[in-house]
Amino acid sequence: MSSATEPLGRAGRASLGGYYALLVVFLYAPLVVIVAFSFDDSTIAALPFSGFTTRWYRAALHDPTLLDAVRLSALIAATNAVAATALGVLASLGLSARRVLLRPAVTALLVLPLVVPAVVVGVGLLILLDEVGSGPSAGALAAGHVVITVPYTVLIILPRLRTLEASLTEAARDLGANQVVAFWAITRPLMTPAIVSSLIVGFTLSFDEYAIASFLIPPGERTFPIFIYEGSKVPQQRPELLAVASLVIALSLLLVVAAEVGRGRYERRQVAAGAG
Amino acid sequence: MTPAGRRLPPRLGQGWLVAPPAAYLFALLIFPIVLIGLYSVFLRTNLTGVVAVFSFQDWGRFFPASWGELPWRTSSPFWNTFVRSMGVTVVIALATTALAYPLAYFLAFGTRRRRSLLLLVVLAPFFTSFLLRVLAWQVMLRANGVFNSALWELHLRPHGEPVSWLINTWFSVGLVLAYAWVPFVALPIFVSMERIDRRLLEAAHDLGAGRLTAFRKVTFPLSLPGVVAGFVFVLIPTTGEFVTPQLVGGPGTYMFGQAIQDLFVGTASDWNYGAVLAVWLTVVVGLLMALSGRALTMDPRR
Amino acid sequence: MERLDRRDFLRGMAGLGGAALLTGCGAESGLKAAGASTGATGRPVHYPGQVGAEPDHLVIAEWPGYEAGGTKAQTYGLTAGRAYTRRFGASGLTYADYGNDDKNLNKMRAGERFDLLHPCVDYVQDYVDAGLVEPFETDLLPSFDRLYPQFADRGSLNGRQYWIPWDWGFGSVMYRKDKVAEADARGWELMWNERYAGKISMWDGGSTPVMVAGLLTDPPAQDIFHQTSDELERSRQLLIQQKPLNKFYWTSEYGDMQPAFKSGDIWITYAWPADYKAMGDALGYDKVAYMTPSQGKLAWVCGFMMGKGTQSPLHAHAYVESFISLAASANLVNLFAYGSSNASVTPAMVKDGRLARELDIGNPEAFGPPVHVERHIPNRAEYQEVWAEVKAS
């Protein structure tokens, strides 16, 4: 392809590159600020710096309220990841069948949570809990998170399942395997990456969810986002919050990089296996 | 059913497997929305001792009795909130999409080998907690926050006099929301650009089109599905947004989501009226979805 | 959520009628009114059993900053609650943000349950009418007899003690003396003064801003705690007019109001005596003033109620006792510049004599006119609606 047919000239590429760099600064500036002030020896995040300290980290790691919040969030997030992935697998297997009753309606229903604003989901579940006569609870919150997670799990698992079908059907025919054996021996291992992605997404979505949690959290209990929200209103607690935030930032960036590296490895291996 | 002599390949799943997930969403999404609907017409209520009787009264309260000179200066305060909030939401979604477009363009056409790395760099902040990022902006924008104290330190402003519009304004709410969504919007635009067949651009060039013309006639129209999808991705969550305006907004930035939240769990509990607002929001978002067409349908045409 | 049957509802309506009667005599007699609703209907309650047999867990809806001394939430010298945490430990105490009275009342109506809550006197009847609370057994509270009867009586409904008073104080305008002209700081109208646009913050306090507006409408409301629909409409207009002058509506005194006042982001705000003390201590009393408005301050008494269906009533009693005891009450006065419900707190126990004189701490008689003592609002829902509409306007 000659360079003149490229959609970007040299000047265009340079200026868009500059724009990209600016956006990266914009996107990372708040993260840098959080990390910088988490080491600042003052309760007010303002210039000039007052001195270096790691005491906020120590305080954060010894705060029972915070640890309880993280524990509750982790529990809800894990429950959500497993339940939503299970439902996602069922939905994907169902949708990949040739005949599905009311397919358009069912498909629409499965992605509906994506287009219903979170505040409506929260309010609806609040009314539902009132109708069945039970108050807010951690279980109800997990159930609510499953609602908003199912579309994501379906969108992750279903496409993967479709790419498998062609090869699978051949294999199944050649081997004369029945469907259950075929699923267990062939589909399941090949589905593993999609299921792992689905679990990760389910965990992350729930762990970071505030809107629905704010409606369904039982009195006196807090998930991690609720802890952050409440903490943002107490200035004395803010430095500790910045320390927690720095840890979260470090951890999530690490996970993103690890996931990317892992994905790259996996794909290269697949390619190598395919070639061999 | 099957034409003779041609076996259709067996499929993996059984149709009935969709039943459990469908039933789950029916019970915990559709049914609650129906309940909200019942509340909105007073067929149910949580008011103690009040008998629920069908009534459009709360809908009557919501739709303005008199319209005034502007659609957000009517006799119904909550209608005004809706119009203002919706207007701002559209502006924020448009601005975010505009900010994301060049980013997607750069990633799709300005990069080659390091593309996935550059994409990862802009997406990564999205994986850190949303609330923590809002909190970071709060720390930066507040009166004695990072920006203002920096201005004071640099003697650009007299000490103790903060820039007043930095926080508690539509500026701060818009800034934080755009910040949160830009990478997310860039993604579908990037995907739609990547799908563009490069031979079309070559053909345009061969026919004498310059880069600008090629962009106008080929790239831009073909990237539109991604643009619409990205726009809708911001629009939907922002219509019901109540956390960001609570943390960085002010009295003038009261949004529709906040109104719903206040009517259900805030200082002005009125579930029946809150239900009217929630139903209305659902309907409006549904209409917007219908308008934005198939950009978001899960089953790709094949 | 628990629903009331028709009989409960009718009884509630009878209660409302009683309150309406009270409103008539309450306007003149200040604090002494609510005891009158002590009908002869209820038998005194008795909580048998051993404290050790109960779950040692209490979920408490508390205003942030008043969590029991000795808990993680407390890093400064609050004595209240210390006797409890010494005996039972702090690990069984869970706190939820009370928010404000309207918010918490609505939350509990929507099904949230607490073992203890910290409502103010004007909401006592709302909680009782809605069937959300249990009465106390006053014999289990050794300090109960020391409480000012004019406070304690307000928690007695139908012959049962539903509410135990703890703290009282005022609601007024706090402002920066060095930024606001003396001539502008005569009354509540300072919150409406356009010269200070963007430097003002009203409390996002549900009914409270509506009461304040009732003092300023033309003509002022006959009774700011029972405004007619015309009066409410005028209050609404006045609050809409005030809205653009606010930097923000504050929701938490420690979270957003005090930091903004300290940093100079706002100069004029609705505040309580504890805020005045905190800001005076931080900025210097030459820079901060707590107004005695020409229209009169608001005044309130807050205390404890026990949530319906609590599994740990004896723990709840022990907790409340650890707040109303003499030591805890004297500490309350010195720490927050609030008044105490405990009549044994003498002026000699107040360390800052100047502040005590200025705020009339230790003188519950300061509750007379022109101070407006907050009372049950019969048409509460309309007040809440007005404030909701102001925010939405």
Side-chain angles (χ1 to χ4, degrees):
Chain A
M1 196 188 279
S2 75
S3 74
T5 63
E6 290 280 307
L8 263 179
R10 188 173 300 170
R13 182 168 307 183
S15 51
L16 278 182
Y19 179 78
Y20 175 86
L22 275 178
L23 264 184
V24 168
V25 171
F26 175 58
L27 290 172
Y28 282 83
L31 308 187
V32 171
V33 164
I34 286 185
V35 175
F37 281 99
S38 72
F39 291 108
D40 184 29
D41 195 13
S42 155
T43 52
I44 298 167
L47 295 169
F49 286 102
S50 317
F52 181 86
T53 182
T54 53
R55 68 180 161 127
W56 308 124
Y57 285 85
R58 255 172 293 137
L61 293 175
H62 290 103
D63 182 343
T65 319
L66 167 64
L67 298 178
D68 282 348
V70 170
R71 220 169 288 139
L72 181 63
S73 267
L75 182 69
I76 293 174
T79 312
N80 175 58
V82 173
T85 301
L87 289 177
V89 169
L90 287 178
S92 303
L93 285 173
L95 284 180
S96 68
R98 201 173 307 112
R99 280 166 50 88
V100 183
L101 200 63
L102 301 173
R103 183 193 292 272
V106 169
T107 310
L109 177 62
L110 287 170
V111 290
L112 191 61
L114 286 178
V115 300
V116 177
V119 66
V120 175
V121 177
V123 158
L125 289 169
L126 188 69
I127 294 184
L128 182 67
L129 285 178
D130 185 39
E131 290 290 326
V132 300
S134 78
S137 68
L141 175 52
H145 281 174
V146 172
V147 171
I148 57 164
T149 311
V150 162
Y152 291 95
T153 64
V154 175
L155 288 173
I156 291 168
I157 296 168
L158 185 58
R160 179 80 190 173
L161 201 59
R162 287 208 166 119
T163 60
L164 289 180
E165 270 162 26
S167 56
L168 178 86
T169 45
E170 278 167 41
R173 225 176 335 185
D174 292 352
L175 299 171
N178 73 27
Q179 284 197 352
V180 175
V181 173
F183 176 79
W184 194 253
I186 301 163
T187 322
R188 189 190 48 89
L190 289 174
M191 291 293 294
T192 304
I195 287 175
V196 169
S197 306
S198 163
L199 286 172
I200 291 174
V201 166
F203 190 90
T204 318
L205 268 180
S206 167
F207 201 81
D208 193 30
E209 208 283 334
Y210 174 79
I212 294 175
S214 73
F215 287 100
L216 300 182
I217 192 73
E221 296 198 34
R222 7 188 108 62
T223 60
F224 182 55
I226 286 181
F227 175 85
I228 299 171
Y229 183 87
E230 286 182 354
S232 76
K233 298 196 149 194
V234 185
Q236 295 86 339
Q237 221 174 304
R238 205 167 281 135
E240 192 188 310
L241 220 53
L242 294 185
V244 179
S246 304
L247 294 176
V248 171
I249 290 167
L251 200 67
S252 20
L253 293 189
L254 211 68
L255 277 179
V256 169
V257 172
E260 193 56 24
V261 171
R263 197 176 63 90
R265 285 245 176 88
Y266 182 85
E267 271 169 11
R268 272 198 300 280
R269 220 174 49 210
Q270 294 287 98
V271 170
Chain B
M1 285 193 319
T2 310
R6 212 191 121 218
R7 272 176 64 205
L8 281 175
R11 291 276 188 128
L12 258 177
Q14 299 278 335
W16 59 266
L17 289 172
V18 298
Y24 186 87
L25 289 183
F26 196 85
L28 293 187
L29 184 67
I30 303 290
F31 183 57
I33 290 176
V34 170
L35 283 175
I36 301 177
L38 295 180
Y39 260 84
S40 80
V41 292
F42 222 84
L43 278 170
R44 298 208 76 87
T45 180
N46 67 333
L47 294 174
T48 37
V50 175
V51 181
V53 182
F54 178 83
S55 154
F56 271 127
Q57 194 191 327
D58 283 322
W59 283 98
R61 252 171 89 194
F62 178 62
F63 292 116
S66 63
W67 281 84
E69 74 274 34
L70 291 165
W72 58 90
R73 297 252 175 83
T74 68
S75 61
S76 164
F78 286 95
W79 173 266
N80 298 348
T81 300
F82 168 73
V83 174
R84 229 180 299 122
S85 183
M86 211 58 196
V88 169
T89 299
V90 170
V91 170
I92 289 173
L94 282 175
T96 310
T97 314
L99 278 174
Y101 196 85
L103 175 63
Y105 197 86
F106 173 73
L107 289 170
F109 299 116
T111 63
R112 248 171 268 156
R113 270 180 302 121
R114 288 169 303 157
R115 177 175 301 165
S116 64
L117 176 69
L118 290 172
L119 183 64
L120 187 67
V121 166
V122 290
L123 285 180
F126 201 77
F127 291 96
T128 64
S129 158
F130 174 71
L131 265 181
L132 282 177
R133 283 176 292 147
V134 178
L135 183 73
W137 280 106
Q138 205 191 33
V139 165
M140 290 204 287
L141 299 174
R142 47 189 304 125
N144 56 352
V146 177
F147 271 129
N148 280 312
S149 58
L151 290 177
W152 299 337
E153 283 301 301
L154 298 169
H155 299 285
L156 292 172
R157 275 185 82 85
H159 196 277
E161 284 187 23
V163 181
S164 62
W165 48 264
L166 276 182
I167 197 159
N168 306 125
T169 54
W170 281 124
F171 166 78
S172 52
V173 174
L175 177 76
V176 172
L177 285 172
Y179 171 82
W181 293 120
V182 160
F184 201 54
V185 178
L187 201 56
I189 304 178
F190 165 76
V191 170
S192 68
M193 284 175 176
E194 257 210 328
R195 279 203 197 126
I196 295 173
D197 191 335
R198 299 299 162 109
R199 283 171 304 186
L200 287 174
L201 294 172
E202 277 173 54
H205 175 74
D206 293 345
L207 292 172
R211 283 200 184 96
L212 207 61
T213 316
F215 172 75
R216 234 180 44 221
K217 301 268 185 190
V218 181
T219 315
F220 184 70
L222 289 175
S223 67
L224 272 180
V227 171
V228 172
F231 179 77
V232 172
F233 277 174
V234 203
L235 197 68
I236 290 166
T238 308
T239 51
E241 175 65 57
F242 62 93
V243 186
T244 308
Q246 249 166 27
L247 286 176
V248 298
T253 66
Y254 196 66
M255 290 184 78
F256 204 57
Q258 282 177 286
I260 296 177
Q261 197 220 11
D262 261 349
L263 287 169
F264 275 93
V265 293
T267 46
S269 179
D270 186 340
W271 284 24
N272 293 105
Y273 195 32
V276 169
L277 271 58
V279 170
W280 177 248
L281 180 62
T282 312
V283 168
V284 169
V285 169
L287 287 176
L288 284 172
M289 284 304 301
L291 280 177
S292 59
R294 297 189 180 175
L296 266 184
T297 45
M298 187 174 70
D299 240 357
R301 276 161 293 150
R302 40 193 199 142
Chain C
M1 146 161 201
E2 215 165 310
R3 284 175 192 287
L4 291 186
D5 62 25
R6 234 174 78 86
R7 215 180 43 214
D8 284 334
F9 176 57
L10 290 174
R11 207 183 305 145
M13 291 308 285
L16 282 179
L21 273 179
L22 276 179
T23 320
C25 55
E28 297 87 40
S29 59
L31 269 178
K32 302 203 177 67
S37 72
T38 309
T41 48
R43 271 165 293 136
V45 283
H46 178 55
Y47 293 101
Q50 295 290 315
V51 72
E54 289 180 345
D56 72 339
H57 194 81
L58 290 177
V59 180
I60 304 168
E62 182 56 280
W63 305 77
Y66 303 90
E67 297 89 351
T71 64
K72 164 72 179 70
Q74 287 294 350
T75 46
Y76 51 96
L78 186 75
T79 305
R82 194 150 286 167
Y84 181 90
T85 54
R86 216 172 275 147
R87 191 167 154 209
F88 298 104
S91 61
L93 296 176
T94 309
Y95 291 96
D97 186 350
Y98 189 74
N100 60 48
D101 282 298
D102 287 310
K103 220 172 182 164
N104 195 72
L105 177 64
N106 294 334
K107 254 200 244 169
M108 289 185 66
R109 279 196 178 133
E112 293 213 6
R113 290 285 170 265
F114 301 101
D115 296 300
L116 280 170
L117 45 149
H118 189 163
C120 297
V121 65
D122 36 333
Y123 289 78
V124 167
Q125 187 158 0
D126 296 271
Y127 281 108
V128 174
D129 287 348
L132 299 168
V133 286
E134 307 263 19
F136 286 95
E137 181 180 347
T138 52
D139 289 347
L140 294 175
L141 301 168
S143 301
F144 181 76
D145 293 336
R146 295 194 186 189
L147 304 184
Y148 286 110
Q150 63 264 51
F151 290 144
D153 285 354
R154 300 199 135 208
S156 168
L157 275 84
N158 316 322
R160 289 175 166 187
Q161 192 72 32
Y162 281 99
W163 174 81
I164 307 294
W166 181 51
D167 51 332
W168 65 265
F170 300 105
S172 185
V173 182
M174 176 170 72
Y175 63 95
R176 286 282 294 262
K177 259 195 259 185
D178 54 337
K179 307 278 188 190
V180 174
E182 196 55 43
D184 292 333
R186 296 275 151 78
W188 287 99
E189 66 276 1
L190 180 56
M191 304 279 293
W192 271 260
N193 192 325
E194 283 176 19
R195 193 191 299 181
Y196 306 105
K199 291 292 180 185
I200 299 173
S201 182
M202 178 67 92
W203 182 31
D204 185 1
S207 310
T208 306
V210 184
M211 300 172 194
V212 171
L215 293 169
L216 288 172
T217 51
D218 183 27
Q222 287 284 320
D223 176 357
I224 60 167
F225 304 113
H226 193 179
Q227 299 181 31
T228 65
S229 44
D230 286 349
E231 288 170 337
L232 281 174
E233 176 55 26
R234 281 198 289 274
S235 293
R236 192 173 77 102
Q237 293 303 336
L238 207 60
L239 287 168
I240 291 174
Q241 194 189 318
Q242 196 263 349
K243 185 176 171 179
L245 307 184
N246 290 283
K247 178 73 181 161
F248 55 88
Y249 289 135
W250 66 265
T251 55
S252 149
E253 49 180 328
Y254 301 108
D256 46 12
M257 184 259 271
Q258 288 189 8
F261 194 87
K262 207 162 132 186
S263 69
D265 208 19
I266 54 169
W267 297 340
I268 298 160
T269 181
Y270 178 88
W272 299 306
D275 304 313
Y276 174 50
K277 182 171 188 315
M279 293 299 100
D281 288 348
L283 295 167
Y285 286 91
D286 55 326
K287 289 205 175 120
V288 185
Y290 194 60
M291 189 192 283
T292 303
S294 57
Q295 302 91 346
K297 295 177 194 169
L298 299 180
W300 45 264
V301 197
C302 301
F304 291 96
M305 296 185 98
M306 199 160 58
K308 188 101 185 164
T310 173
Q311 298 297 303
S312 309
L314 298 176
H315 280 84
H317 280 81
Y319 185 90
V320 171
E321 170 61 27
S322 77
F323 272 67
I324 60 173
S325 70
L326 180 58
S329 297
N331 173 260
L332 160 75
V333 174
N334 283 315
L335 207 56
F336 295 113
Y338 286 142
S340 156
S341 62
N342 192 317
S344 306
V345 177
T346 62
M349 295 178 189
V350 183
K351 285 192 194 119
D352 189 339
R354 196 194 60 79
L355 204 61
R357 270 191 304 283
E358 187 187 338
L359 294 171
D360 259 343
I361 306 167
N363 172 25
E365 299 307 317
F367 265 39
V371 168
H372 307 274
V373 183
E374 292 179 9
R375 272 201 313 275
H376 175 70
I377 298 175
N379 49 343
R380 168 94 58 209
E382 292 174 40
Y383 277 61
Q384 294 183 350
E385 189 187 323
V386 165
W387 183 241
E389 291 189 352
V390 168
K391 278 167 75 179
S393 287

